[in-house]
Amino acid sequence: MTGKHKTRDDDQTIRRVLDGDVNAFELLVRKYQNHTARIVGNHVPHARVSEVVQTVFINAFRSLKTYRGDRPFQNWLSRISVRCCYDFWRDEYRCRETPVSSLGKESHDLLEHLGTGRAEEIFEAQSNHAEAVQILDWALDQLSPEDRMVVTLTALEEKSVAEAAELLGWTSVNVKVRAHRARKRLKKIIEQAN
Amino acid sequence: MKFQTGNLMQVLRVIHRLRPEPELDPWLTGSIMAAVRGLGIPFDRQFLRLALPVSAVACAAAAVLFAVSSTSLHGSDSLLMNYAMGDPNGLLTLANFGM
């Protein structure tokens, strides 16, 4: 099915929902829940993905009236997903502390290789994947919710400044400045952990 | 230990890509729909959906009654009564009143 057909189908489904056929919303949930879960899974712990995905769809339903149809529904939903992840971290970060000692010995060994560029070889061993992701999550946990979101989108997912600005609802200048500072902070955190 | 920012970010990107696909709760669709049904459709639209057909039917009925009563010698109330009694021509009424 082409992109245009998909958009037209979505527009028809949205029209039905707005006309009172609430059950038609299930078509959108089934169609986009994996897409939404992938976005959310890149930002929040996997144990909490389902909970955040549910919030995304509830928020989407609540603001469906504001969807103008000038861009694909999937893009509109992606923006809601990223903002829900940002809200998730703002709630989570209140009164939280993750010490360096929470990392295992293997994680500390891996940390030493992060800046050498040889880490890709190290991660080839399947057993190290979980440890590596744990290090990244630990380092991201040290950042503020804003820095965490912007560094994930720009540095880790390689989205452009314009794309990140659109997803976060920030100005491009704000994204550029914050992304630069957040990258420096992330580097410092990993250096200090060694 | 000092790292090159470029190298470090490249490695962190590789790690980020290693994240496994999240496993969704199998009942997720059901729980989303239950929550959505709880929210219902916006009140203004629900009101319009009910109010528009009802008022359209009422207007049409009023127009028919008006048209019928204005072309008849009797009022619309006695016409309705005649129909209710199974005597659309009003013969019983005429007979009862000796007309």
Side-chain angles (χ1 to χ4, degrees):
Chain A
M1 193 183 281
T2 64
K4 265 189 179 176
H5 278 119
K6 267 168 85 176
T7 308
R8 208 181 305 144
D9 285 352
D10 290 346
D11 287 348
Q12 282 171 356
T13 310
I14 291 162
R15 180 61 34 219
R16 279 173 58 193
V17 177
L18 289 174
D19 284 343
D21 183 3
V22 178
N23 292 330
F25 192 70
E26 190 169 341
L27 296 173
L28 297 172
V29 175
R30 288 193 185 279
K31 191 170 173 182
Y32 292 112
Q33 67 180 1
N34 288 332
H35 164 78
T36 308
R38 268 194 298 277
I39 295 174
V40 172
N42 281 338
H43 294 276
V44 309
H46 281 193
R48 310 287 296 274
V49 168
S50 293
E51 169 194 333
V52 179
V53 168
Q54 177 159 358
T55 309
V56 169
F57 279 103
I58 290 171
N59 287 357
F61 179 79
R62 279 194 174 129
S63 47
L64 205 56
K65 270 195 289 186
T66 64
Y67 173 67
R68 294 193 302 273
D70 53 350
R71 64 188 67 190
F73 179 72
Q74 186 170 308
N75 295 8
W76 187 75
L77 200 60
S78 304
R79 213 166 54 182
I80 296 178
S81 307
V82 169
R83 288 177 197 182
C84 281
C85 295
Y86 176 41
D87 290 342
F88 170 84
W89 284 121
R90 280 202 301 190
D91 289 342
E92 282 291 303
Y93 271 52
R94 291 190 189 117
C95 314
R96 213 182 64 151
E97 195 181 327
T98 314
V100 186
S101 56
S102 68
L103 294 175
K105 191 195 171 297
E106 278 184 46
S107 304
H108 279 289
D109 294 343
L110 271 176
L111 257 173
E112 287 176 18
H113 295 285
L114 286 185
T116 63
R118 291 193 304 111
E120 278 190 57
E121 297 159 28
I122 301 162
F123 301 142
E124 274 175 16
Q126 184 68 37
S127 59
N128 283 334
H129 287 185
E131 291 285 341
V133 173
Q134 197 190 343
I135 292 171
L136 176 60
D137 285 339
W138 166 82
L140 290 171
D141 276 353
Q142 317 298 310
L143 298 172
S144 69
E146 291 82 6
D147 286 352
R148 180 184 193 127
M149 291 304 296
V150 82
V151 87
T152 305
L153 289 170
T154 57
L156 305 182
E157 293 181 9
E158 296 184 280
K159 296 215 185 303
S160 70
V161 169
E163 280 176 308
E166 164 73 16
L167 287 167
L168 289 162
W170 298 353
T171 63
S172 295
V173 177
N174 196 5
V175 168
K176 212 181 251 182
V177 172
R178 269 206 178 271
H180 179 69
R181 286 186 195 154
R183 270 199 302 269
K184 277 173 74 176
R185 273 191 203 121
L186 190 60
K187 181 175 168 252
K188 201 172 166 187
I189 287 163
I190 292 172
E191 280 173 355
Q192 282 175 348
N194 276 289
Chain B
M1 188 187 287
K2 287 272 175 196
F3 294 145
Q4 289 285 318
T5 311
N7 273 353
L8 181 65
M9 286 303 150
Q10 200 180 349
V11 171
L12 294 180
R13 266 196 290 278
V14 173
I15 300 175
H16 187 65
R17 281 190 221 114
L18 291 176
R19 286 181 196 279
E21 288 267 312
E23 277 182 31
L24 286 177
D25 172 3
W27 307 107
L28 182 63
T29 310
S31 59
I32 291 171
M33 287 312 294
V36 160
R37 284 189 195 104
L39 294 170
I41 54 173
F43 178 75
D44 52 347
R45 285 185 177 271
Q46 199 171 23
F47 177 76
L48 281 179
R49 270 183 69 224
L50 286 171
L52 282 177
V54 168
S55 57
V57 169
C59 279
V64 168
L65 269 177
F66 177 75
V68 170
S69 62
S70 61
T71 55
S72 164
L73 292 174
H74 304 286
S76 56
D77 51 343
S78 55
L79 264 171
L80 276 175
M81 187 61 79
N82 290 341
Y83 270 97
M85 290 169 68
D87 176 30
N89 296 322
L91 296 174
L92 281 173
T93 315
L94 288 173
N96 281 343
F97 291 95
M99 296 166 87

